[in-house]
Amino acid sequence: MHKVDPDQITVKHKRWVKLSHWIITISFFLLAFSGFVILMCHPRLYWGEVGNDLTPALFELPVSRNYQHGGWEKTAAFFETKNSPVSSSRTYDIWNQNGWGRSLHFLSAWFLVITGLSYLLWGALTGHIKRNLFPGTKEISFKSFGIDLKNHLRLIIRPASGGPNYGLLQKTSYLIVIFFLLPLIALTGFTMSPAITAAYPFLLKIFFGAQSARTIHFFASVLLVIFLLIHIVMLILSGFKKQLYFMTIGKKYEQQQDH
C-alpha cells in the first residue's frame, strides 16, 4: 500500500471562500474591462491635483485614437494668474464611451469592496486567514523562500490538492494582494470621487491629489492583472480542471490506495 502524500491531506475550500472568490474574480474582470475603456477615453496620466488635455501629462498611452490627438483651437486662460485654468474648443472627434464605462466600473467596484470586506471579516473570525494564508514560523526563511521561488521559475508546481494548501511564495503573494494592492486600488478609486473627497479630504493628501491617485490606481491595476495572469498559469500547470472542480462543486482530494 502506498503512503498518502502529506501535501494532499487537506480540507476542501469552504463554501463562503468559493463564493467570495468567484464574486471577486468576476468583479475584477469587469473592472479591468471597464477600466481599460475609461483609459481609452483619456489615455493621459498626471501627477498632482489636476490634469487635462491642455496640461502636461506624466505620460500618455497609445491605446486609442485619442492618443496625442492635438485637436484643439488656441487655448485661453480664465484668469491672468500664473496657474490659471485654461480652456479651448476641441476640433477632433475623440473616441468617448465614458458614460457606460464609468457606470460599470463603479458598480463592479462596490461588489469587489463589499465582498472583499466580508471575506476579511469572516476570514478573521473563523481563523481562515491566520490558518491558511499567514506562513508558519517554521516556513519563514530565506532558504524556504528561495527554494519555492526556484521551483516556480522552473515551473515545478505541486498538483491540485482540493484545499488551501499553499506554499510560501503563494501565501506571500496572496497577502500582498489582499492587504496591500486591493486596499490601495480601492482607496485611490475613492480619492478620484469628488463626493467622497469632499467628505474625507485627507485622501487627497495621502495620495498627493486626485490625478496622482489615478496614476497610482493605474499601476496597482497593472500589478493585479500581472498577478491574475501568473495565477492562471499556475492553475494550468497544477491541473486546471481539478482546480476549477475544487473551487466550484468539488470536495477534498482523495488519493487512491493500491493494495
Side-chain angles (χ1 to χ4, degrees):
M1 181 175 66
H2 296 299
K3 293 183 178 179
V4 178
D5 186 347
D7 288 341
Q8 294 177 334
I9 301 175
T10 180
V11 296
K12 65 179 181 179
H13 292 290
K14 301 295 184 182
R15 289 181 180 177
W16 66 269
V17 173
K18 295 179 182 180
L19 181 62
S20 59
H21 171 273
W22 287 111
I23 293 175
I24 290 173
T25 299
I26 295 170
S27 299
F28 182 74
F29 273 114
L30 292 174
L31 282 167
F33 170 69
S34 57
F36 187 71
V37 170
I38 294 169
L39 189 64
M40 288 175 68
C41 297
H42 193 79
R44 295 161 58 87
L45 292 165
Y46 312 86
W47 193 261
E49 181 57 43
V50 296
N52 56 52
D53 283 320
L54 303 177
T55 59
L58 189 63
F59 60 92
E60 191 167 354
L61 299 168
V63 294
S64 73
R65 71 169 187 249
N66 297 353
Y67 172 71
Q68 295 183 346
H69 64 78
W72 298 95
E73 293 180 346
K74 186 178 180 180
T75 60
F78 282 102
F79 311 108
E80 295 182 357
T81 56
K82 181 179 179 181
N83 297 319
S84 169
V86 293
S87 179
S88 180
S89 297
R90 182 180 286 122
T91 60
Y92 179 80
D93 183 22
I94 64 169
W95 187 87
N96 188 1
Q97 298 291 329
N98 216 19
W100 68 263
R102 285 178 177 270
S103 296
L104 179 61
H105 202 70
F106 294 156
L107 179 64
S108 304
W110 281 116
F111 270 98
L112 187 143
V113 168
I114 293 172
T115 306
L117 290 174
S118 301
Y119 171 87
L120 286 175
L121 178 61
W122 198 246
L125 292 175
T126 60
H128 166 77
I129 294 176
K130 181 180 179 181
R131 182 173 59 253
N132 298 315
L133 295 182
F134 279 99
T137 53
K138 294 181 179 179
E139 292 180 84
I140 304 175
S141 70
F142 287 110
K143 183 179 179 181
S144 298
F145 190 86
I147 293 172
D148 204 12
L149 178 61
K150 187 182 295 184
N151 287 336
H152 277 77
L153 292 175
R154 292 178 177 178
L155 301 182
I156 303 173
I157 310 300
R158 67 175 66 188
S161 61
N165 190 25
Y166 308 132
L168 180 60
L169 189 60
Q170 194 173 6
K171 289 180 178 180
T172 304
S173 61
Y174 285 167
L175 290 175
I176 291 173
V177 168
I178 293 171
F179 292 104
F180 177 66
L181 286 179
L182 286 178
L184 179 64
I185 209 169
L187 289 174
T188 51
F190 289 150
T191 308
M192 287 185 280
S193 169
I196 292 178
T197 52
Y200 306 99
F202 66 88
L203 289 170
L204 292 170
K205 294 183 179 180
I206 292 175
F207 296 111
F208 313 104
Q211 292 300 329
S212 299
R214 181 171 179 258
T215 301
I216 296 170
H217 191 81
F218 167 76
F219 282 112
S221 301
V222 170
L223 290 175
L224 283 172
V225 170
I226 293 172
F227 166 80
L228 177 63
L229 293 175
I230 295 174
H231 185 64
I232 292 173
V233 171
M234 295 299 106
L235 288 177
I236 294 171
L237 293 175
S238 63
F240 184 79
K241 289 184 179 180
K242 279 187 176 181
Q243 294 284 24
L244 190 61
Y245 173 73
F246 292 140
M247 192 49 80
T248 51
I249 60 173
K251 298 182 178 180
K252 66 181 181 178
Y253 180 81
E254 296 178 359
Q255 179 166 316
Q256 299 295 325
Q257 296 182 359
D258 296 331
H259 294 276

